[in-house]
Amino acid sequence: MKRILVTGATGQIGSELTMALRYIYGNENVIAARHSRQPSPDIAATGPIVSFDVRDQSALIKVVKDQQIDTIYHLASLLSAVAEKMPQKAWDINMNGLMNVLETARMMRCAVFFPSSIGAFGPLTPAINTPQDTIQRPNTMYGVTKVSGELICDYYQQRFAVDVRGLRYPGLISYKTQAGGGTTDYAVEIFYAALQKKTYQCFLAESTQLDMMYMPDAVKAAISLMQADSQQLIHHNAFNITSISITPGQLAAEIKRHIPEFTITYKVDPVRQAIADSWPRHMDDQCAFLEWGWQAEFTLSEMVKDMLEKLAVKLTGGCDVIG
Ligand code: AKB
C-alpha cells in the first residue's frame, strides 16, 4: 500500500495532484502538507492535512515516521518572478527544503518526486527543440535552484540509491488554483480577465514564445513517471516534457475564437520579460516518450475550450467540474 506525502499541496500543482493521487491510492493514504496557503475545500474535505515548513527537518521526519510515508512529492518552492525579488529566501526554501526531503528519504527509504522547470535552462541553451542533455547556465535564482535541485537529486539517486524522479515542467495552466509569482502566470491570468473583464494587459511581449501545459497533462506526467518501471529509466530525473508552445498573441487569438469581444494589450514587465527571454521556446521531450511513454493529450484549442468552460463554472460559483 502506498503512503504519500505531498509538500506544497495547496499550491498550483499540489492542489490538483493531491486530489488525483487520493483518487488512485485512497484518500487516507495521501497526506497534504501545507505551510502558508489555506487548503482548497476539496483537499480539506477528502483526506489528512499536516502543517509544517519544509525547512524544518525534524517536523518533516516526524510526519514521515508518524504517517508511515513511502513516497514524497516535493512541490513546495518559490517560483521565478518572486524568487528574483528575494533570491536569498528562494535559495533557502527551494534548496534547504529539497535537501531536507532528500535526507529524510535517504534515512526512511522513501521515493521522491521533484519538479524542475524550463527555468533550469538559460540564455546559452538551444532555445528550439531544447535537448534533454544540454547547456544549463540559468541567470535567475529560480533557475539556479532548479539546476542545483536536479544535480542533488541525481546525486542522491546515484550515491544513496534513493528513487528520485522528476520532470522539467513548462508554464502550467489551470483553473483550480492560481500560480502566483511565476513568469508564465500570464497564461492563467488571461483566462480570468477574458471571462471577467473581456480585456487583459499582458506583462510579456506579444511574440514571447514559451512551452506551456494544461494541468491535467502535468498531473498525468508526474503520476506516470512515478509509476514507471525503474528498469526502463535511463535519466530518472529532470525529464523534458512539452505540450503547447505558444506566444501571448497566439493564446489571445484562440481565446478570441470563444469570446470575440476579448482584447489584449501589452505592458512589458522588464524583469519577467528578461526571465522569459532566457528560457527555451520549445523543449524536445523524446527521452520522456522513449523511457516511460510520455505523451501530452491537450492541444491549444482543447485546452482553451476546457479552461474557459471550467473557469466560467468556477467564477459563477458553480460546483467544481471533475475530469
Ligand atoms: C514560473 O513561471 O516560474 C513557473 C515555471 C515555468 O517554472 N511557472
Short mmCIF file of all heavy atoms in Angstrom, two decimals, residues 71-116:
data_model
loop_
_atom_site.label_atom_id
_atom_site.label_comp_id
_atom_site.label_asym_id
_atom_site.label_seq_id
_atom_site.Cartn_x
_atom_site.Cartn_y
_atom_site.Cartn_z
N THR A 71 6.50 7.63 -0.08
CA THR A 71 6.74 8.44 -1.29
C THR A 71 6.45 9.90 -0.96
O THR A 71 5.41 10.21 -0.39
CB THR A 71 5.80 7.99 -2.44
OG1 THR A 71 5.97 6.59 -2.65
CG2 THR A 71 6.09 8.74 -3.72
N ILE A 72 7.39 10.79 -1.36
CA ILE A 72 7.19 12.23 -1.13
C ILE A 72 7.15 12.94 -2.48
O ILE A 72 8.12 12.86 -3.26
CB ILE A 72 8.32 12.84 -0.27
CG1 ILE A 72 8.49 12.07 1.04
CG2 ILE A 72 8.05 14.33 -0.01
CD1 ILE A 72 9.72 12.48 1.85
N TYR A 73 6.05 13.61 -2.77
CA TYR A 73 6.00 14.53 -3.91
C TYR A 73 6.35 15.90 -3.34
O TYR A 73 5.55 16.49 -2.59
CB TYR A 73 4.60 14.56 -4.55
CG TYR A 73 4.26 13.34 -5.38
CD1 TYR A 73 3.94 12.12 -4.78
CD2 TYR A 73 4.25 13.40 -6.78
CE1 TYR A 73 3.62 11.00 -5.54
CE2 TYR A 73 3.93 12.29 -7.56
CZ TYR A 73 3.62 11.10 -6.93
OH TYR A 73 3.29 9.99 -7.69
N HIS A 74 7.55 16.39 -3.67
CA HIS A 74 8.02 17.63 -3.03
C HIS A 74 7.78 18.83 -3.96
O HIS A 74 8.60 19.14 -4.83
CB HIS A 74 9.51 17.50 -2.70
CG HIS A 74 10.07 18.75 -2.12
ND1 HIS A 74 9.48 19.42 -1.08
CD2 HIS A 74 11.17 19.48 -2.47
CE1 HIS A 74 10.19 20.50 -0.79
NE2 HIS A 74 11.21 20.57 -1.63
N LEU A 75 6.66 19.50 -3.74
CA LEU A 75 6.27 20.59 -4.65
C LEU A 75 6.52 21.97 -4.06
O LEU A 75 6.44 22.96 -4.79
CB LEU A 75 4.79 20.45 -5.01
CG LEU A 75 4.35 19.08 -5.53
CD1 LEU A 75 2.85 19.05 -5.77
CD2 LEU A 75 5.09 18.73 -6.82
N ALA A 76 6.78 22.05 -2.76
CA ALA A 76 6.91 23.38 -2.13
C ALA A 76 8.14 24.11 -2.67
O ALA A 76 9.26 23.62 -2.55
CB ALA A 76 7.04 23.20 -0.61
N SER A 77 7.91 25.25 -3.31
CA SER A 77 9.05 26.08 -3.75
C SER A 77 8.55 27.46 -4.15
O SER A 77 7.35 27.64 -4.38
CB SER A 77 9.79 25.41 -4.92
OG SER A 77 9.34 25.85 -6.16
N LEU A 78 9.47 28.42 -4.24
CA LEU A 78 9.11 29.75 -4.76
C LEU A 78 9.30 29.73 -6.27
O LEU A 78 10.24 29.13 -6.78
CB LEU A 78 10.00 30.84 -4.16
CG LEU A 78 9.88 31.12 -2.67
CD1 LEU A 78 10.61 32.42 -2.32
CD2 LEU A 78 8.42 31.24 -2.21
N LEU A 79 8.42 30.42 -7.00
CA LEU A 79 8.52 30.48 -8.47
C LEU A 79 9.45 31.62 -8.92
O LEU A 79 9.95 32.39 -8.12
CB LEU A 79 7.12 30.63 -9.07
CG LEU A 79 6.19 29.42 -8.89
CD1 LEU A 79 4.87 29.65 -9.60
CD2 LEU A 79 6.82 28.13 -9.37
N SER A 80 9.63 31.69 -10.25
CA SER A 80 10.72 32.50 -10.82
C SER A 80 10.68 33.99 -10.50
O SER A 80 11.70 34.56 -10.10
CB SER A 80 10.75 32.31 -12.33
OG SER A 80 9.49 32.63 -12.88
N ALA A 81 9.52 34.63 -10.67
CA ALA A 81 9.49 36.09 -10.50
C ALA A 81 9.67 36.46 -9.04
O ALA A 81 10.43 37.38 -8.70
CB ALA A 81 8.19 36.66 -11.06
N VAL A 82 9.01 35.74 -8.16
CA VAL A 82 9.13 36.05 -6.73
C VAL A 82 10.53 35.69 -6.23
O VAL A 82 11.10 36.38 -5.39
CB VAL A 82 7.97 35.39 -5.94
CG1 VAL A 82 8.14 33.92 -5.78
CG2 VAL A 82 7.79 36.02 -4.57
N ALA A 83 11.12 34.63 -6.79
CA ALA A 83 12.49 34.24 -6.40
C ALA A 83 13.49 35.33 -6.78
O ALA A 83 14.49 35.55 -6.08
CB ALA A 83 12.88 32.92 -7.06
N GLU A 84 13.22 36.03 -7.88
CA GLU A 84 14.11 37.10 -8.31
C GLU A 84 14.01 38.30 -7.36
O GLU A 84 14.97 39.05 -7.17
CB GLU A 84 13.74 37.53 -9.73
CG GLU A 84 14.81 37.51 -10.77
CD GLU A 84 16.06 36.72 -10.46
OE1 GLU A 84 15.99 35.50 -10.30
OE2 GLU A 84 17.13 37.33 -10.38
N LYS A 85 12.84 38.46 -6.73
CA LYS A 85 12.66 39.58 -5.78
C LYS A 85 13.34 39.26 -4.45
O LYS A 85 13.76 40.15 -3.75
CB LYS A 85 11.16 39.81 -5.51
CG LYS A 85 10.47 40.53 -6.63
CD LYS A 85 9.15 41.13 -6.15
CE LYS A 85 8.35 41.63 -7.32
NZ LYS A 85 7.03 41.02 -7.44
N MET A 86 13.37 37.98 -4.07
CA MET A 86 14.02 37.61 -2.79
C MET A 86 14.89 36.37 -2.99
O MET A 86 14.52 35.27 -2.58
CB MET A 86 12.99 37.41 -1.68
CG MET A 86 11.64 36.94 -2.11
SD MET A 86 10.56 36.93 -0.67
CE MET A 86 8.99 37.11 -1.43
N PRO A 87 16.05 36.58 -3.64
CA PRO A 87 16.89 35.43 -4.01
C PRO A 87 17.39 34.61 -2.82
O PRO A 87 17.45 33.38 -2.92
CB PRO A 87 18.05 36.06 -4.78
CG PRO A 87 17.93 37.53 -4.63
CD PRO A 87 16.56 37.86 -4.17
N GLN A 88 17.72 35.27 -1.71
CA GLN A 88 18.24 34.51 -0.56
C GLN A 88 17.16 33.60 0.01
O GLN A 88 17.40 32.43 0.33
CB GLN A 88 18.75 35.45 0.55
CG GLN A 88 19.93 36.33 0.14
CD GLN A 88 19.52 37.58 -0.65
OE1 GLN A 88 18.35 37.81 -0.93
NE2 GLN A 88 20.50 38.38 -1.03
N LYS A 89 15.93 34.14 0.10
CA LYS A 89 14.82 33.33 0.61
C LYS A 89 14.51 32.18 -0.36
O LYS A 89 14.18 31.06 0.06
CB LYS A 89 13.59 34.23 0.80
CG LYS A 89 12.47 33.52 1.50
CD LYS A 89 11.38 34.49 1.91
CE LYS A 89 10.24 33.72 2.58
NZ LYS A 89 9.12 34.57 2.90
N ALA A 90 14.62 32.47 -1.65
CA ALA A 90 14.34 31.43 -2.66
C ALA A 90 15.34 30.28 -2.50
O ALA A 90 14.97 29.10 -2.55
CB ALA A 90 14.41 32.01 -4.06
N TRP A 91 16.61 30.61 -2.31
CA TRP A 91 17.62 29.56 -2.10
C TRP A 91 17.28 28.76 -0.85
O TRP A 91 17.31 27.52 -0.85
CB TRP A 91 19.02 30.17 -1.99
CG TRP A 91 20.06 29.13 -1.71
CD1 TRP A 91 20.51 28.72 -0.48
CD2 TRP A 91 20.74 28.32 -2.67
NE1 TRP A 91 21.43 27.71 -0.62
CE2 TRP A 91 21.60 27.44 -1.95
CE3 TRP A 91 20.73 28.24 -4.07
CZ2 TRP A 91 22.42 26.50 -2.58
CZ3 TRP A 91 21.57 27.31 -4.70
CH2 TRP A 91 22.39 26.45 -3.96
N ASP A 92 16.92 29.48 0.21
CA ASP A 92 16.62 28.83 1.49
C ASP A 92 15.46 27.84 1.33
O ASP A 92 15.57 26.66 1.68
CB ASP A 92 16.28 29.92 2.52
CG ASP A 92 16.11 29.36 3.92
OD1 ASP A 92 16.68 28.29 4.19
OD2 ASP A 92 15.40 29.99 4.72
N ILE A 93 14.35 28.31 0.77
CA ILE A 93 13.17 27.43 0.65
C ILE A 93 13.42 26.33 -0.38
O ILE A 93 13.21 25.14 -0.12
CB ILE A 93 11.92 28.25 0.28
CG1 ILE A 93 11.55 29.18 1.45
CG2 ILE A 93 10.74 27.32 -0.06
CD1 ILE A 93 10.40 30.12 1.18
N ASN A 94 13.87 26.73 -1.58
CA ASN A 94 13.98 25.75 -2.66
C ASN A 94 15.08 24.72 -2.41
O ASN A 94 14.89 23.53 -2.66
CB ASN A 94 14.21 26.45 -4.01
CG ASN A 94 13.02 27.30 -4.43
OD1 ASN A 94 12.07 27.50 -3.67
ND2 ASN A 94 13.04 27.82 -5.64
N MET A 95 16.21 25.15 -1.89
CA MET A 95 17.33 24.20 -1.71
C MET A 95 17.32 23.51 -0.35
O MET A 95 17.49 22.30 -0.27
CB MET A 95 18.68 24.90 -1.93
CG MET A 95 18.93 25.31 -3.35
SD MET A 95 18.57 24.01 -4.58
CE MET A 95 19.70 22.72 -4.11
N ASN A 96 17.14 24.29 0.71
CA ASN A 96 17.16 23.63 2.03
C ASN A 96 15.93 22.74 2.19
O ASN A 96 16.01 21.67 2.80
CB ASN A 96 17.28 24.67 3.15
CG ASN A 96 18.66 25.33 3.10
OD1 ASN A 96 19.63 24.70 2.70
ND2 ASN A 96 18.73 26.60 3.47
N GLY A 97 14.81 23.16 1.63
CA GLY A 97 13.62 22.30 1.65
C GLY A 97 13.90 20.99 0.92
O GLY A 97 13.61 19.90 1.43
N LEU A 98 14.50 21.08 -0.27
CA LEU A 98 14.78 19.87 -1.04
C LEU A 98 15.81 18.98 -0.33
O LEU A 98 15.65 17.75 -0.27
CB LEU A 98 15.30 20.25 -2.44
CG LEU A 98 15.73 19.08 -3.33
CD1 LEU A 98 14.58 18.10 -3.59
CD2 LEU A 98 16.29 19.59 -4.66
N MET A 99 16.85 19.59 0.24
CA MET A 99 17.85 18.78 0.98
C MET A 99 17.20 18.03 2.13
O MET A 99 17.51 16.86 2.37
CB MET A 99 18.97 19.69 1.53
CG MET A 99 20.12 19.88 0.58
SD MET A 99 20.87 18.33 0.03
CE MET A 99 21.77 17.83 1.48
N ASN A 100 16.29 18.69 2.85
CA ASN A 100 15.60 18.02 3.96
C ASN A 100 14.79 16.83 3.45
O ASN A 100 14.76 15.76 4.06
CB ASN A 100 14.67 18.99 4.68
CG ASN A 100 15.45 19.95 5.57
OD1 ASN A 100 16.60 19.69 5.90
ND2 ASN A 100 14.81 21.06 5.93
N VAL A 101 14.13 17.03 2.32
CA VAL A 101 13.33 15.94 1.75
C VAL A 101 14.24 14.78 1.33
O VAL A 101 13.96 13.62 1.64
CB VAL A 101 12.50 16.46 0.55
CG1 VAL A 101 11.91 15.30 -0.26
CG2 VAL A 101 11.39 17.38 1.04
N LEU A 102 15.35 15.09 0.67
CA LEU A 102 16.24 14.02 0.20
C LEU A 102 16.88 13.27 1.37
O LEU A 102 17.00 12.04 1.35
CB LEU A 102 17.32 14.60 -0.73
CG LEU A 102 16.80 15.09 -2.08
CD1 LEU A 102 17.90 15.82 -2.83
CD2 LEU A 102 16.27 13.94 -2.93
N GLU A 103 17.30 14.02 2.38
CA GLU A 103 17.91 13.37 3.55
C GLU A 103 16.89 12.49 4.27
O GLU A 103 17.20 11.38 4.70
CB GLU A 103 18.44 14.45 4.51
CG GLU A 103 19.91 14.74 4.31
CD GLU A 103 20.76 13.49 4.51
OE1 GLU A 103 20.97 13.08 5.66
OE2 GLU A 103 21.22 12.88 3.52
N THR A 104 15.68 13.01 4.41
CA THR A 104 14.62 12.22 5.05
C THR A 104 14.35 10.96 4.22
O THR A 104 14.21 9.86 4.76
CB THR A 104 13.34 13.08 5.19
OG1 THR A 104 13.69 14.28 5.87
CG2 THR A 104 12.26 12.36 5.97
N ALA A 105 14.31 11.14 2.91
CA ALA A 105 14.05 9.99 2.02
C ALA A 105 15.17 8.97 2.12
O ALA A 105 14.94 7.76 2.10
CB ALA A 105 13.91 10.48 0.59
N ARG A 106 16.41 9.45 2.24
CA ARG A 106 17.55 8.52 2.37
C ARG A 106 17.43 7.72 3.67
O ARG A 106 17.58 6.50 3.67
CB ARG A 106 18.86 9.33 2.38
CG ARG A 106 20.11 8.49 2.53
CD ARG A 106 21.36 9.34 2.61
NE ARG A 106 21.45 10.11 3.83
CZ ARG A 106 21.84 9.63 5.02
NH1 ARG A 106 22.18 8.36 5.14
NH2 ARG A 106 21.88 10.42 6.08
N MET A 107 17.09 8.42 4.75
CA MET A 107 17.04 7.74 6.06
C MET A 107 15.83 6.81 6.17
O MET A 107 15.91 5.76 6.76
CB MET A 107 17.00 8.77 7.19
CG MET A 107 18.30 9.54 7.30
SD MET A 107 18.33 10.67 8.71
CE MET A 107 17.32 12.00 8.17
N MET A 108 14.70 7.24 5.59
CA MET A 108 13.45 6.50 5.79
C MET A 108 13.08 5.66 4.55
O MET A 108 11.98 5.16 4.46
CB MET A 108 12.29 7.47 6.10
CG MET A 108 12.62 8.59 7.07
SD MET A 108 12.84 8.06 8.75
CE MET A 108 11.20 7.70 9.17
N ARG A 109 13.98 5.60 3.58
CA ARG A 109 13.78 4.81 2.36
C ARG A 109 12.49 5.19 1.61
O ARG A 109 11.65 4.34 1.27
CB ARG A 109 13.76 3.29 2.65
CG ARG A 109 14.92 2.75 3.41
CD ARG A 109 16.28 3.12 2.89
NE ARG A 109 16.53 2.80 1.48
CZ ARG A 109 17.49 3.40 0.75
NH1 ARG A 109 18.23 4.35 1.25
NH2 ARG A 109 17.65 3.05 -0.50
N CYS A 110 12.33 6.47 1.35
CA CYS A 110 11.17 6.94 0.58
C CYS A 110 11.58 7.21 -0.87
O CYS A 110 12.73 7.56 -1.15
CB CYS A 110 10.65 8.27 1.12
SG CYS A 110 10.08 8.22 2.81
N ALA A 111 10.64 7.10 -1.78
CA ALA A 111 10.82 7.59 -3.15
C ALA A 111 10.46 9.08 -3.15
O ALA A 111 9.69 9.54 -2.31
CB ALA A 111 9.91 6.84 -4.11
N VAL A 112 11.04 9.82 -4.11
CA VAL A 112 10.81 11.28 -4.16
C VAL A 112 10.47 11.70 -5.59
O VAL A 112 11.09 11.23 -6.55
CB VAL A 112 12.08 12.05 -3.70
CG1 VAL A 112 11.89 13.57 -3.88
CG2 VAL A 112 12.43 11.73 -2.25
N PHE A 113 9.49 12.62 -5.70
CA PHE A 113 9.23 13.31 -6.97
C PHE A 113 9.65 14.77 -6.80
O PHE A 113 9.23 15.42 -5.84
CB PHE A 113 7.75 13.25 -7.34
CG PHE A 113 7.42 14.10 -8.55
CD1 PHE A 113 7.69 13.63 -9.83
CD2 PHE A 113 6.87 15.38 -8.40
CE1 PHE A 113 7.42 14.42 -10.95
CE2 PHE A 113 6.59 16.16 -9.51
CZ PHE A 113 6.86 15.68 -10.79
N PHE A 114 10.47 15.27 -7.75
CA PHE A 114 10.93 16.67 -7.69
C PHE A 114 10.63 17.37 -9.02
O PHE A 114 11.12 16.95 -10.07
CB PHE A 114 12.44 16.71 -7.42
CG PHE A 114 13.04 18.09 -7.60
CD1 PHE A 114 12.74 19.12 -6.72
CD2 PHE A 114 13.90 18.35 -8.67
CE1 PHE A 114 13.28 20.39 -6.90
CE2 PHE A 114 14.45 19.62 -8.85
CZ PHE A 114 14.14 20.64 -7.96
N PRO A 115 9.83 18.45 -8.98
CA PRO A 115 9.55 19.16 -10.22
C PRO A 115 10.62 20.19 -10.54
O PRO A 115 10.80 21.15 -9.79
CB PRO A 115 8.21 19.86 -9.91
CG PRO A 115 8.22 20.07 -8.44
CD PRO A 115 9.11 19.01 -7.83
N SER A 116 11.34 19.97 -11.63
CA SER A 116 12.20 21.04 -12.16
C SER A 116 11.38 21.83 -13.16
O SER A 116 10.13 21.74 -13.16
CB SER A 116 13.47 20.46 -12.77
OG SER A 116 14.34 21.53 -13.12
#
